[in-house]
Amino acid sequence: MNAADDKTIVREYFNSTGFDRWKRIYGDGEVNKVQLDIRYGHQQTVDKVIGWLKNDGNLSTLSICDAGCGVGSLSIPLATEGAKVYASDISDKMVEEGKQRALEALGNSTNPSFAVQDLESLSGKYHTVICLDVLIHYPQDKADEMISHLCSLAESRIILSFAPKTCALSLLKKIGGFFPGASKTTRAYLHREADVVKIIEKNGFAVQRQEMTKTRFYYSRLLEATRNS
């Protein structure tokens, strides 16, 4: 299966059964125990990013690209704090849901601005580029290309999260592969932290802050890197 096929699978999944599933996970309604655990873990990652940016004291002056924004879980809080947010997702259903949530939360439809785009087609320049929990859908060779492209859009900083490739997680993923059925989603790709850092560094950035979020069913390594002067 090539990268183009992976992208098609991701788009179709998040425009069909995946949309309903993740809309619930990223909401506040009733979900099952696994989905609740993932909701809790993802929110921790979002809160850590917001905390980093708020603590810097200049959030309201920033232009931010939220690449793979989903339903706006990060974009809307950042816009609430005064940042100018450009949000995009491969799924038109996710984008429409994000627009609706932004309208309900902020009372306007101009910030965040939402667009249906995949990572490769993003353009422009932004102070900070953020891409959370998206790389899990793409293999390492494609991740290299996408991270490099995201770095080219960032004037000052890039923030990424990914599922780290460790022995323990690789084993869990292998075991999970024995259970077919409707509960399975898209392919889940793990990435070695050293590989991600190497890509970031070759694009002229240096890692400044890092965090790990781990629950029973959610594992995410968070990195912030700034452009070398």
Side-chain angles (χ1 to χ4, degrees):
M1 194 69 70
N2 61 38
D5 292 326
D6 274 308
K7 185 165 68 174
T8 300
I9 290 170
V10 170
R11 179 186 293 109
E12 291 178 350
Y13 171 71
F14 282 105
N15 276 327
S16 56
T17 58
F19 170 71
D20 294 326
R21 180 175 300 157
W22 289 96
K23 177 184 175 182
R24 291 194 305 272
I25 291 174
Y26 294 151
D28 55 11
E30 185 175 347
V31 290
N32 63 42
K33 291 182 178 179
V34 173
Q35 292 171 333
L36 183 61
D37 182 85
I38 294 172
R39 175 192 290 173
Y40 177 63
H42 177 75
Q43 190 60 49
Q44 284 188 59
T45 296
V46 169
D47 289 344
K48 287 171 182 176
V49 171
I50 295 172
W52 281 354
L53 300 184
K54 289 178 69 173
N55 288 340
D56 288 345
N58 63 342
L59 181 52
S60 64
T61 70
L62 303 184
S63 62
I64 297 175
C65 173
D66 183 9
C69 65
V71 298
S73 302
L74 176 67
S75 293
I76 295 170
L78 292 181
T80 301
E81 293 293 330
K84 181 61 178 176
V85 183
Y86 302 85
S88 62
D89 198 273
I90 196 172
S91 163
D92 59 330
K93 282 194 172 184
M94 286 288 190
V95 166
E96 287 305 312
E97 178 67 17
K99 288 180 179 179
Q100 183 59 40
R101 293 190 183 191
L103 185 61
E104 293 172 359
L106 300 171
N108 70 76
S109 58
T110 58
N111 187 37
S113 64
F114 287 91
V116 180
Q117 288 181 287
D118 57 37
L119 298 187
E120 296 93 329
S121 64
L122 290 175
S123 61
K125 291 291 183 180
Y126 312 90
H127 178 278
T128 297
V129 174
I130 304 174
C131 186
L132 300 185
D133 295 349
V134 174
L135 296 178
I136 194 170
H137 301 298
Y138 298 97
Q140 181 60 36
D141 58 341
K142 193 62 178 177
D144 189 330
E145 177 184 333
M146 288 190 298
I147 293 172
S148 295
H149 179 59
L150 293 175
C151 285
S152 74
L153 307 177
E155 294 175 332
S156 180
R157 172 172 53 196
I158 184 166
I159 298 175
L160 301 172
S161 72
F162 56 94
K165 188 170 187 177
T166 64
C167 291
L169 285 186
S170 295
L171 178 59
L172 285 175
K173 181 176 181 291
K174 185 176 181 180
I175 293 172
F178 293 137
F179 298 92
S183 63
K184 293 182 71 64
T185 59
T186 62
R187 293 172 178 83
Y189 294 101
L190 309 180
H191 299 281
R192 292 184 178 87
E193 182 173 350
D195 293 336
V196 175
V197 171
K198 184 177 180 180
I199 298 167
I200 290 171
E201 290 179 342
K202 79 175 183 180
N203 282 281
F205 289 77
V207 173
Q208 302 297 334
R209 291 185 282 203
Q210 50 194 299
E211 288 277 358
M212 179 70 195
T213 301
K214 180 171 67 173
T215 66
R216 289 189 64 191
F217 300 101
Y218 177 92
Y219 297 82
S220 185
R221 187 64 164 165
L222 181 65
L223 300 179
E224 176 202 56
T226 56
R227 185 174 290 280
N228 297 324
S229 57

